[in-house]
Amino acid sequence: MSDRMQKLFDMSVSEVYPLYVAKIERKGRTVAELDAVISWLTGFDSANLHERLRSAVTFREFFACATVPAEASRITGMICGVRVEQIEHPLARSIRQLDKLIDELAKGRPLEKVLRQS
């Protein structure tokens, strides 16, 4: 595993969350929609999500406690020049799945489709 990936794994989710918020708000989406996306991917309810943000957990700790849904395997496509579905390392794949969902939200995709609902 590269040093770059290790740094990402050990980065605090609370450091990145404001960047997610800025990205989706620039595109006219809401924090509630962002939280819905994160909650869907992790299984954390809003209170649990925001507690984790306040306690500055790392991505490694964040996803270690997450319950990623089986439907997450339906997250496909390119992110950072890599096909999400081809990422072998589970933590790296989960982080990139989150990035992909946030990109879809920011691009105006309906929330139901971002959440892989029928």
Side-chain angles (χ1 to χ4, degrees):
M1 187 64 44
S2 72
D3 287 342
R4 184 174 174 204
M5 288 306 294
Q6 291 299 329
K7 286 180 184 178
L8 175 62
F9 295 168
D10 294 329
M11 184 177 291
S12 167
V13 178
S14 61
E15 289 178 54
V16 181
Y17 184 80
L19 302 175
Y20 293 155
V21 170
K23 180 176 189 168
I24 58 109
E25 285 183 337
R26 274 194 315 269
K27 301 296 183 165
R29 301 309 287 258
T30 67
V31 173
E33 290 173 310
L34 172 63
D35 288 354
V37 166
I38 297 171
S39 292
W40 177 82
L41 184 62
T42 62
F44 301 140
D45 62 21
S46 182
N48 198 323
L49 168 62
H50 287 277
E51 175 58 33
R52 291 175 188 287
L53 292 172
R54 280 190 296 278
S55 62
V57 297
T58 65
F59 276 104
R60 185 184 315 273
E61 296 163 333
F62 189 73
F63 280 105
C65 296
T67 306
V68 177
E71 294 85 359
S73 65
R74 295 171 46 200
I75 302 169
T76 59
M78 299 287 284
I79 191 78
C80 299
V82 178
R83 295 208 63 81
V84 172
E85 63 274 19
Q86 294 177 348
I87 299 172
E88 292 186 23
H89 192 283
L91 178 56
R93 185 175 48 250
S94 292
I95 294 169
R96 294 303 178 205
Q97 286 172 328
L98 177 59
D99 291 342
K100 180 67 177 168
L101 294 177
I102 293 168
D103 276 358
E104 291 177 1
L105 185 65
K107 289 179 180 173
R109 192 164 192 208
L111 188 58
E112 302 78 41
K113 292 197 182 271
V114 173
L115 301 181
R116 305 310 194 253
Q117 297 171 347
S118 312

